[in-house]
Amino acid sequence: MSLACSRDIIYQHHERLDGSGYPRGLSGEEIMLEARIIAVADVMEAMTSHRPYRPAPGLVEAVKEIRDNSGKLYDPAVVSALIELIEEGYTF
């Protein structure tokens, strides 16, 4: 993977399937698959980790957020893979 490709992935990881993300308002397949994967992982990490300004909402809330927005904000195939990992016992 080239440095340019890696930069694009990081640059796009706040884009959302419906075009509501940032910085460019990309939607659907315009968003690199790797960025769609990192977007879901980033939400999971953020919601399952304590921050100095708030306690972690936790795994149940994170899964609810991601599942509720599958197909709207998050790639359904990525969400499906994450849920499968959790159901198999993967922990954060």
Side-chain angles (χ1 to χ4, degrees), residues 39-76:
V40 171
D42 186 49
V43 170
M44 280 301 293
E45 191 283 326
M47 292 187 73
T48 58
S49 298
H50 175 76
R51 299 288 196 254
Y53 52 86
R54 59 123 178 102
L59 182 62
V60 171
E61 285 299 312
V63 169
K64 181 178 180 343
E65 158 65 22
I66 291 169
R67 190 175 271 155
D68 288 352
N69 288 292
S70 177
K72 178 182 178 196
L73 303 180
Y74 314 116
D75 184 304

Side-chain angles (χ1 to χ4, degrees), residues 1 6 8 10 17 19 22-23 29 32 36 41-42 44 53 55 62 65-66 69 72 77 84 87-88 90-91:
M1 180 179 301
S6 299
D8 290 338
I10 293 164
L17 281 186
Y22 63 92
E29 296 294 318
M32 297 173 68
R36 288 180 267 148
D42 186 49
M44 280 301 293
Y53 52 86
E65 158 65 22
I66 291 169
N69 288 292
K72 178 182 178 196
E84 186 176 325
E87 288 173 349
E88 289 176 1
Y90 184 85
T91 58

